[in-house]
PDB file of all heavy atoms in Angstrom:
ATOM      1  N   VAL B  29       5.986  21.391  -5.382  1.00  0.00           N
ATOM      2  CA  VAL B  29       4.924  20.920  -4.493  1.00  0.00           C
ATOM      3  C   VAL B  29       4.036  22.115  -4.060  1.00  0.00           C
ATOM      4  O   VAL B  29       2.878  22.065  -4.026  1.00  0.00           O
ATOM      5  CB  VAL B  29       5.487  20.185  -3.285  1.00  0.00           C
ATOM      6  CG1 VAL B  29       4.342  19.862  -2.272  1.00  0.00           C
ATOM      7  CG2 VAL B  29       6.102  18.900  -3.716  1.00  0.00           C
ATOM      8  N   LEU B  30       4.702  23.252  -3.728  1.00  0.00           N
ATOM      9  CA  LEU B  30       3.997  24.478  -3.319  1.00  0.00           C
ATOM     10  C   LEU B  30       3.071  24.935  -4.363  1.00  0.00           C
ATOM     11  O   LEU B  30       1.943  25.286  -4.158  1.00  0.00           O
ATOM     12  CB  LEU B  30       4.958  25.522  -2.904  1.00  0.00           C
ATOM     13  CG  LEU B  30       4.344  26.871  -2.499  1.00  0.00           C
ATOM     14  CD1 LEU B  30       3.438  26.694  -1.240  1.00  0.00           C
ATOM     15  CD2 LEU B  30       5.399  27.950  -2.241  1.00  0.00           C
ATOM     16  N   ILE B  31       3.651  24.971  -5.582  1.00  0.00           N
ATOM     17  CA  ILE B  31       2.806  25.398  -6.788  1.00  0.00           C
ATOM     18  C   ILE B  31       1.584  24.453  -6.912  1.00  0.00           C
ATOM     19  O   ILE B  31       0.400  24.862  -7.148  1.00  0.00           O
ATOM     20  CB  ILE B  31       3.643  25.410  -8.030  1.00  0.00           C
ATOM     21  CG1 ILE B  31       4.606  26.596  -7.939  1.00  0.00           C
ATOM     22  CG2 ILE B  31       2.733  25.585  -9.249  1.00  0.00           C
ATOM     23  CD1 ILE B  31       5.703  26.632  -9.060  1.00  0.00           C
ATOM     24  N   HIS B  32       1.834  23.157  -6.826  1.00  0.00           N
ATOM     25  CA  HIS B  32       0.731  22.159  -6.891  1.00  0.00           C
ATOM     26  C   HIS B  32      -0.310  22.451  -5.793  1.00  0.00           C
ATOM     27  O   HIS B  32      -1.532  22.412  -6.093  1.00  0.00           O
ATOM     28  CB  HIS B  32       1.312  20.762  -6.804  1.00  0.00           C
ATOM     29  CG  HIS B  32       0.203  19.728  -6.609  1.00  0.00           C
ATOM     30  ND1 HIS B  32      -0.598  19.335  -7.631  1.00  0.00           N
ATOM     31  CD2 HIS B  32      -0.105  18.971  -5.614  1.00  0.00           C
ATOM     32  CE1 HIS B  32      -1.422  18.447  -7.199  1.00  0.00           C
ATOM     33  NE2 HIS B  32      -1.156  18.186  -5.918  1.00  0.00           N
ATOM     34  N   VAL B  33       0.103  22.639  -4.611  1.00  0.00           N
ATOM     35  CA  VAL B  33      -0.769  22.875  -3.488  1.00  0.00           C
ATOM     36  C   VAL B  33      -1.553  24.182  -3.663  1.00  0.00           C
ATOM     37  O   VAL B  33      -2.830  24.172  -3.439  1.00  0.00           O
ATOM     38  CB  VAL B  33      -0.069  22.926  -2.126  1.00  0.00           C
ATOM     39  CG1 VAL B  33      -0.923  23.410  -1.021  1.00  0.00           C
ATOM     40  CG2 VAL B  33       0.458  21.513  -1.806  1.00  0.00           C
ATOM     41  N   LEU B  34      -0.995  25.232  -4.160  1.00  0.00           N
ATOM     42  CA  LEU B  34      -1.632  26.519  -4.375  1.00  0.00           C
ATOM     43  C   LEU B  34      -2.730  26.396  -5.500  1.00  0.00           C
ATOM     44  O   LEU B  34      -3.809  27.004  -5.355  1.00  0.00           O
ATOM     45  CB  LEU B  34      -0.695  27.567  -4.664  1.00  0.00           C
ATOM     46  CG  LEU B  34       0.222  27.996  -3.550  1.00  0.00           C
ATOM     47  CD1 LEU B  34       1.249  28.992  -3.991  1.00  0.00           C
ATOM     48  CD2 LEU B  34      -0.640  28.589  -2.406  1.00  0.00           C
ATOM     49  N   TYR B  35      -2.397  25.727  -6.550  1.00  0.00           N
ATOM     50  CA  TYR B  35      -3.343  25.693  -7.679  1.00  0.00           C
ATOM     51  C   TYR B  35      -4.359  24.544  -7.626  1.00  0.00           C
ATOM     52  O   TYR B  35      -5.540  24.736  -8.051  1.00  0.00           O
ATOM     53  CB  TYR B  35      -2.584  25.587  -8.976  1.00  0.00           C
ATOM     54  CG  TYR B  35      -1.860  26.876  -9.391  1.00  0.00           C
ATOM     55  CD1 TYR B  35      -0.513  27.021  -9.267  1.00  0.00           C
ATOM     56  CD2 TYR B  35      -2.690  27.953  -9.825  1.00  0.00           C
ATOM     57  CE1 TYR B  35       0.031  28.225  -9.599  1.00  0.00           C
ATOM     58  CE2 TYR B  35      -2.081  29.176 -10.138  1.00  0.00           C
ATOM     59  CZ  TYR B  35      -0.757  29.285 -10.066  1.00  0.00           C
ATOM     60  OH  TYR B  35      -0.100  30.525 -10.346  1.00  0.00           O
ATOM     61  N   GLN B  36      -4.004  23.354  -7.138  1.00  0.00           N
ATOM     62  CA  GLN B  36      -4.961  22.271  -7.075  1.00  0.00           C
ATOM     63  C   GLN B  36      -5.674  22.114  -5.799  1.00  0.00           C
ATOM     64  O   GLN B  36      -6.720  21.495  -5.844  1.00  0.00           O
ATOM     65  CB  GLN B  36      -4.084  20.933  -7.377  1.00  0.00           C
ATOM     66  CG  GLN B  36      -3.442  20.917  -8.695  1.00  0.00           C
ATOM     67  CD  GLN B  36      -4.358  20.927  -9.827  1.00  0.00           C
ATOM     68  OE1 GLN B  36      -5.489  20.257  -9.774  1.00  0.00           O
ATOM     69  NE2 GLN B  36      -4.083  21.577 -10.901  1.00  0.00           N
ATOM     70  N   LYS B  37      -5.177  22.668  -4.748  1.00  0.00           N
ATOM     71  CA  LYS B  37      -5.789  22.591  -3.392  1.00  0.00           C
ATOM     72  C   LYS B  37      -6.181  21.158  -3.083  1.00  0.00           C
ATOM     73  O   LYS B  37      -7.379  20.813  -2.852  1.00  0.00           O
ATOM     74  CB  LYS B  37      -6.962  23.545  -3.306  1.00  0.00           C
ATOM     75  CG  LYS B  37      -6.629  24.991  -3.445  1.00  0.00           C
ATOM     76  CD  LYS B  37      -7.816  25.829  -3.394  1.00  0.00           C
ATOM     77  CE  LYS B  37      -7.483  27.291  -3.459  1.00  0.00           C
ATOM     78  NZ  LYS B  37      -7.144  27.786  -4.747  1.00  0.00           N
ATOM     79  N   PRO B  38      -5.196  20.241  -2.975  1.00  0.00           N
ATOM     80  CA  PRO B  38      -5.502  18.825  -2.744  1.00  0.00           C
ATOM     81  C   PRO B  38      -6.014  18.601  -1.306  1.00  0.00           C
ATOM     82  O   PRO B  38      -5.768  19.298  -0.366  1.00  0.00           O
ATOM     83  CB  PRO B  38      -4.177  18.163  -2.953  1.00  0.00           C
ATOM     84  CG  PRO B  38      -3.179  19.187  -2.650  1.00  0.00           C
ATOM     85  CD  PRO B  38      -3.769  20.471  -3.056  1.00  0.00           C
ATOM     86  N   ARG B  39      -6.886  17.620  -1.255  1.00  0.00           N
ATOM     87  CA  ARG B  39      -7.487  17.213   0.072  1.00  0.00           C
ATOM     88  C   ARG B  39      -6.481  16.757   1.114  1.00  0.00           C
ATOM     89  O   ARG B  39      -6.609  17.094   2.252  1.00  0.00           O
ATOM     90  CB  ARG B  39      -8.593  16.125  -0.182  1.00  0.00           C
ATOM     91  CG  ARG B  39      -9.249  15.695   1.057  1.00  0.00           C
ATOM     92  CD  ARG B  39     -10.344  16.605   1.516  1.00  0.00           C
ATOM     93  NE  ARG B  39     -10.894  16.021   2.728  1.00  0.00           N
ATOM     94  CZ  ARG B  39     -11.501  16.822   3.615  1.00  0.00           C
ATOM     95  NH1 ARG B  39     -11.670  18.105   3.356  1.00  0.00           N
ATOM     96  NH2 ARG B  39     -12.050  16.308   4.673  1.00  0.00           N
ATOM     97  N   TRP B  40      -5.431  16.038   0.624  1.00  0.00           N
ATOM     98  CA  TRP B  40      -4.457  15.545   1.527  1.00  0.00           C
ATOM     99  C   TRP B  40      -3.691  16.646   2.286  1.00  0.00           C
ATOM    100  O   TRP B  40      -3.309  16.551   3.469  1.00  0.00           O
ATOM    101  CB  TRP B  40      -3.436  14.587   0.871  1.00  0.00           C
ATOM    102  CG  TRP B  40      -2.645  15.259  -0.216  1.00  0.00           C
ATOM    103  CD1 TRP B  40      -2.983  15.260  -1.561  1.00  0.00           C
ATOM    104  CD2 TRP B  40      -1.438  16.028  -0.132  1.00  0.00           C
ATOM    105  NE1 TRP B  40      -1.944  15.989  -2.326  1.00  0.00           N
ATOM    106  CE2 TRP B  40      -1.050  16.528  -1.416  1.00  0.00           C
ATOM    107  CE3 TRP B  40      -0.651  16.439   0.942  1.00  0.00           C
ATOM    108  CZ2 TRP B  40       0.041  17.272  -1.671  1.00  0.00           C
ATOM    109  CZ3 TRP B  40       0.460  17.242   0.721  1.00  0.00           C
ATOM    110  CH2 TRP B  40       0.853  17.627  -0.555  1.00  0.00           C
ATOM    111  N   PHE B  41      -3.550  17.784   1.632  1.00  0.00           N
ATOM    112  CA  PHE B  41      -2.858  18.876   2.252  1.00  0.00           C
ATOM    113  C   PHE B  41      -3.676  19.550   3.385  1.00  0.00           C
ATOM    114  O   PHE B  41      -3.228  19.787   4.469  1.00  0.00           O
ATOM    115  CB  PHE B  41      -2.444  20.001   1.220  1.00  0.00           C
ATOM    116  CG  PHE B  41      -1.568  21.089   1.815  1.00  0.00           C
ATOM    117  CD1 PHE B  41      -0.241  20.814   2.120  1.00  0.00           C
ATOM    118  CD2 PHE B  41      -2.106  22.321   2.116  1.00  0.00           C
ATOM    119  CE1 PHE B  41       0.538  21.820   2.656  1.00  0.00           C
ATOM    120  CE2 PHE B  41      -1.338  23.304   2.652  1.00  0.00           C
ATOM    121  CZ  PHE B  41      -0.010  23.054   2.886  1.00  0.00           C
ATOM    122  N   LYS B  42      -4.989  19.642   3.113  1.00  0.00           N
ATOM    123  CA  LYS B  42      -5.859  20.227   4.170  1.00  0.00           C
ATOM    124  C   LYS B  42      -5.972  19.296   5.288  1.00  0.00           C
ATOM    125  O   LYS B  42      -5.852  19.789   6.488  1.00  0.00           O
ATOM    126  CB  LYS B  42      -7.247  20.413   3.531  1.00  0.00           C
ATOM    127  CG  LYS B  42      -8.240  21.027   4.522  1.00  0.00           C
ATOM    128  CD  LYS B  42      -9.623  21.285   3.833  1.00  0.00           C
ATOM    129  CE  LYS B  42     -10.590  21.934   4.709  1.00  0.00           C
ATOM    130  NZ  LYS B  42     -11.017  21.141   5.767  1.00  0.00           N
ATOM    131  N   ASP B  43      -6.075  18.092   5.050  1.00  0.00           N
ATOM    132  CA  ASP B  43      -6.103  16.976   6.169  1.00  0.00           C
ATOM    133  C   ASP B  43      -4.777  17.079   6.983  1.00  0.00           C
ATOM    134  O   ASP B  43      -4.764  17.018   8.228  1.00  0.00           O
ATOM    135  CB  ASP B  43      -6.301  15.650   5.619  1.00  0.00           C
ATOM    136  CG  ASP B  43      -7.641  15.461   5.009  1.00  0.00           C
ATOM    137  OD1 ASP B  43      -8.526  16.302   5.344  1.00  0.00           O
ATOM    138  OD2 ASP B  43      -7.779  14.496   4.189  1.00  0.00           O
TER     139      ASP B  43
END
Side-chain angles (χ1 to χ4, degrees):
V29 171
L30 177 63
I31 290 169
H32 169 72
V33 166
L34 289 174
Y35 285 107
Q36 299 295 323
K37 297 179 178 75
R39 177 79 182 156
W40 60 263
F41 186 76
K42 183 178 182 292
D43 294 341

